[in-house]
């Protein structure tokens, strides 16, 4: 009887043609909140990075949003712009990537020219960036600040906002848990001019000149990234610094940031 039962089972399995399924292992990750703050001072119009610092930065941020969208939109992303003050472009980090792309498109050369008399203040981007996250959940929080690092705001104001940023960073474990990355962009080996007006073919016909009263008035404005300042800033807020001399290096720096956080498997 046992032999007949075994034969019947074997015949049944043969007719059913069973398939042995192997479990497909996938790298899993915890969704994160990512805050991206972009320098929008006129020095970002410099073309030492092709086609310009601001366009290269926008392209890399846009690529990041597209990749996150392709992977299911599990991460919430925030976007803000800063000159001497930092202003969120979106109220809170969101998974509405179409809205993020819309705000990114609005960050044009004409938009930047509105703030041509404003200097750069990275410290306010740090303070506003730390305040930006939703601390009611335990998601990882990543603050990425992209800038050429030229601090041009008033000294007294810089000193005040520097202290505010440092105090906030270390005032609460919640703020201390945010991973901060300062990403510099630009070629620091030589100074670059800043295009102001272009013709219909995209050729520069006018550069920015100094307008403040003094011996420099009327001279061409020259810009050069300040990686030493960015690195010092990163050290003071327990962050990390990386410099990109071109768009490819900037893209690689963003990838390295994600890799260091263990979430690069999404983009393989």
């Amino acid at each position: 009887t046992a032999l007949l039962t075994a034969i019947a089972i074997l015949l049944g399995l043969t007719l059913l043609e069973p398939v042995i399924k192997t479990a497909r292992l996938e790298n899993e990750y915890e969704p994160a909140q990512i805050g991206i703050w972009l320098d929008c001072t006129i020095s970002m119009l410099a073309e030492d990075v092709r086609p310009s610092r601001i366009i290269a930065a926008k392209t890399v941020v846009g690529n990041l949003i597209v990749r996150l969208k392709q992977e299911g939109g599990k991460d919430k992303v925030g976007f803000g712009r800063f000159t001497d003050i930092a202003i969120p472009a979106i109220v809170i980090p969101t998974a509405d990537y179409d809205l993020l792309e819309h705000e990114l498109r609005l960050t044009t050369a004409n938009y930047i020219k509105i703030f041509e008399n404003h200097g750069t203040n990275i410290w306010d981007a740090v303070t506003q960036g730390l305040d930006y996250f939703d601390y009611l959940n335990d998601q990882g929080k990543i603050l990425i600040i992209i800038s050429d690092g030229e601090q041009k705001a008033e000294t007294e104001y810089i000193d005040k906002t520097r202290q505010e940023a440092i105090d906030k960073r270390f005032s609460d474990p919640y703020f201390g848990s945010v991973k901060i990355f300062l990403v510099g962009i630009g070629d620091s080996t030589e100074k670059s001019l800043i295009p102001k007006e272009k013709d219909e073919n995209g050729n520069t016909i006018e550069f920015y000149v100094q307008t403040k009263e003094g011996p420099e008035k009327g001279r061409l404005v020259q810009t050069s990234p300040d990686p030493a300042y960015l690195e010092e800033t990163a050290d003071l807020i327990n962050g990390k610094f990386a410099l990109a001399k071109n768009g490819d290096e900037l893209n690689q720096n963003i990838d390295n940031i994600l890799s260091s956080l263990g979430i690069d498997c999404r983009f393989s």
Side-chain angles (χ1 to χ4, degrees), residues 3 12 39 94-95 116 123 176 194 202 217 225 230 238 245 248 252:
L3 179 60
D39 187 342
T94 178
E116 64 181 52
W123 296 106
I194 304 174
K217 185 176 181 179
L230 281 172
N238 193 25
K245 296 180 180 179
D248 289 339
Q252 186 60 55

Side-chain angles (χ1 to χ4, degrees), residues 111-163:
Y111 173 86
I112 288 176
K113 290 174 184 177
I114 297 173
F115 305 98
E116 64 181 52
N117 295 321
H118 292 247
T120 306
N121 180 20
I122 294 172
W123 296 106
D124 200 50
V126 173
T127 299
Q128 299 300 324
L130 289 173
D131 276 334
Y132 194 52
F133 295 107
D134 174 12
Y135 291 96
L136 296 179
N137 60 61
D138 58 357
Q139 291 177 330
K141 296 167 184 65
I142 307 156
L143 176 59
I144 302 173
I145 299 173
I146 302 175
S147 172
D148 54 28
E150 287 192 291
Q151 293 289 81
K152 297 297 184 181
E154 296 296 330
T155 302
E156 184 177 345
Y157 178 63
I158 289 290
D159 291 342
K160 177 177 179 292
T161 52
R162 179 196 295 115
Q163 195 58 51

Side-chain angles (χ1 to χ4, degrees), residues 98-122:
D98 291 337
L99 177 59
L100 289 162
E101 289 172 327
H102 172 72
E103 287 295 338
L104 193 62
R105 286 193 297 270
L106 294 179
T107 311
T108 63
N110 287 334
Y111 173 86
I112 288 176
K113 290 174 184 177
I114 297 173
F115 305 98
E116 64 181 52
N117 295 321
H118 292 247
T120 306
N121 180 20
I122 294 172

Side-chain angles (χ1 to χ4, degrees), residues 25-87:
L25 298 178
E26 296 181 353
N27 290 323
E28 295 184 355
Y29 68 96
E30 292 294 329
Q33 296 180 49
I34 304 173
I36 302 171
W37 292 77
L38 186 57
D39 187 342
C40 286
T41 51
I42 60 169
S43 60
M44 290 291 285
L45 299 175
E47 297 176 344
D48 53 342
V49 176
R50 295 293 180 179
S52 69
R53 294 175 188 173
I54 190 64
I55 292 178
K58 283 176 57 179
T59 299
V60 170
V61 174
N63 290 341
L64 171 60
I65 293 171
V66 168
R67 294 186 313 198
L68 293 175
K69 185 188 296 185
Q70 291 172 344
E71 293 300 326
K74 297 180 181 180
D75 298 287
K76 291 185 177 181
V77 183
F79 176 64
R81 310 178 186 95
F82 68 94
T83 53
D84 45 3
I85 60 172
I87 302 175

Side-chain angles (χ1 to χ4, degrees), residues 192-208:
S192 300
L193 301 179
I194 304 174
K196 184 174 184 179
E197 298 294 337
K198 296 194 174 191
D199 61 21
E200 62 274 11
N201 297 317
N203 299 312
T204 301
I205 57 177
E206 182 182 358
F207 292 95
Y208 276 97

